[in-house]
Amino acid sequence: MRIIARSSLIAFWERHPDAKAALLHWFEVTKAADWQSPLEVVRDFSKAKALNGERVRFDIGGGDYRLIVAFDFARQIAFVKFLGTHAEYDRIDALTVSLF
């Protein structure tokens, strides 16, 4: 999978160092993946939640942070749409947010 907005992940973990290990793990697993559906994503990340046919929410750092990614499974691209604290996540619409 190709990941769009990797720089956003780096910028986030520089501000929140406790999220770095979890984000690096997510990045490595996602980069190596060949997912064809949100169900396959959730199979590899059991705490993830499929929001619709393309968007998945990931718990990062034990649930302190949230990552929303829109997947284009046909083209094997993962678009980072949101990365923030749990409190910031509570203030957005996970189905439409597009911060990056």
Side-chain angles (χ1 to χ4, degrees):
M1 233 341 109
R2 199 169 92 210
I3 300 168
I4 305 298
R6 180 176 184 265
S7 60
S8 300
L9 301 177
I10 295 168
F12 188 83
W13 77 52
E14 286 176 350
R15 289 190 317 275
H16 303 275
D18 57 325
K20 183 175 182 176
L23 288 171
L24 280 172
H25 173 74
W26 177 87
F27 181 83
E28 292 302 322
V29 171
T30 302
K31 184 175 153 187
D34 184 24
W35 296 317
Q36 299 300 313
S37 73
L39 293 176
E40 292 181 11
V41 177
V42 173
R43 181 191 64 213
D44 287 347
F45 288 98
S46 62
K47 301 238 180 202
K49 180 180 178 188
L51 301 175
N52 61 18
E54 71 173 25
R55 286 192 181 218
V56 177
R57 183 203 73 209
F58 298 88
D59 290 344
I60 301 294
D64 292 339
Y65 307 105
R66 297 283 198 243
L67 170 65
I68 298 173
V69 179
F71 291 94
D72 182 333
F73 295 106
R75 295 188 304 160
Q76 289 291 290
I77 301 173
F79 299 94
V80 174
K81 296 295 186 178
F82 172 84
L83 178 56
T85 66
H86 197 175
E88 292 168 333
Y89 172 79
D90 287 341
R91 293 190 298 265
I92 58 111
D93 179 353
L95 295 176
T96 60
V97 68
S98 187
L99 295 182
F100 307 110

